[in-house]
Amino acid sequence: MTVKKATKKFEMGGLQLELKLTGRDVLNIEKRLGKSMMSLFMSADGGMKLPPLNEMLIVLQGANQTHGVTDNDIFAAFEKYFDEGHAPMDLFTVLTDLFQESGFFGKTASASKTNTESEVTLDNEPTTETTL
């Protein structure tokens, strides 16, 4: 059964965006960033961090499903958005919501395991029970 993810509507500086992260979008964004999208939010010590603005705008552009929106359009819209009193932290919130709604952060630990994941283990525990 395939679940179709809905788009998240977001208006930034007068530009209407429809945001959704598909597998292809994630691959294209990561290729453009030259790193994992997860590293946008995680510092080296595992804490949360605010990514650079240009990287947040690249993610917005990559997740946008509205046809014909260019990098220049995204940047011009952000300038208006910023002039309207919004902060980069506001964009960070939009992105974290998008990632959460897209399932990028995963599901609960028990719900996110697949059969393949549960069969493979790197622990020192035996895979079958033996009794002596």
Side-chain angles (χ1 to χ4, degrees):
M1 180 174 156
T2 303
V3 177
K4 192 159 184 141
K5 296 174 184 167
T7 57
K8 175 182 181 61
K9 294 189 186 302
F10 174 58
E11 195 255 314
M12 178 175 71
L15 182 65
Q16 282 291 341
L17 302 175
E18 291 190 27
L19 306 175
K20 179 170 72 169
L21 284 172
T22 65
R24 182 177 302 275
D25 296 331
V26 171
L27 289 174
N28 288 335
I29 292 166
E30 287 184 346
K31 184 185 234 183
R32 192 164 175 200
L33 290 172
K35 63 183 178 180
S36 163
M37 282 183 29
M38 194 56 110
S39 69
L40 291 173
F41 299 102
M42 304 294 279
S43 63
D45 63 359
M48 290 294 283
K49 72 171 186 172
L50 181 66
L53 180 59
N54 69 315
E55 292 181 354
M56 289 193 287
L57 293 177
I58 287 171
V59 172
L60 276 180
Q61 173 66 328
N64 178 42
Q65 305 299 313
T66 305
H67 182 69
V69 177
T70 65
D71 284 358
N72 284 336
D73 296 335
I74 293 284
F75 181 71
F78 174 74
E79 282 190 310
K80 288 180 189 174
Y81 184 76
F82 192 68
D83 289 345
E84 292 167 356
H86 297 279
M89 190 64 189
D90 297 329
L91 273 186
F92 179 76
T93 302
V94 169
L95 291 182
T96 54
D97 289 348
L98 172 66
F99 279 41
Q100 187 68 43
E101 290 170 16
S102 297
F104 191 81
F105 294 129
K107 298 173 178 57
T108 60
S110 62
S112 67
K113 282 192 174 184
T114 64
N115 287 339
T116 305
E117 288 174 332
S118 62
E119 291 171 6
V120 176
T121 181
L122 298 177
D123 297 330
N124 288 331
E125 299 173 16
T127 55
T128 58
E129 288 187 34
T130 56
T131 56
L132 297 176

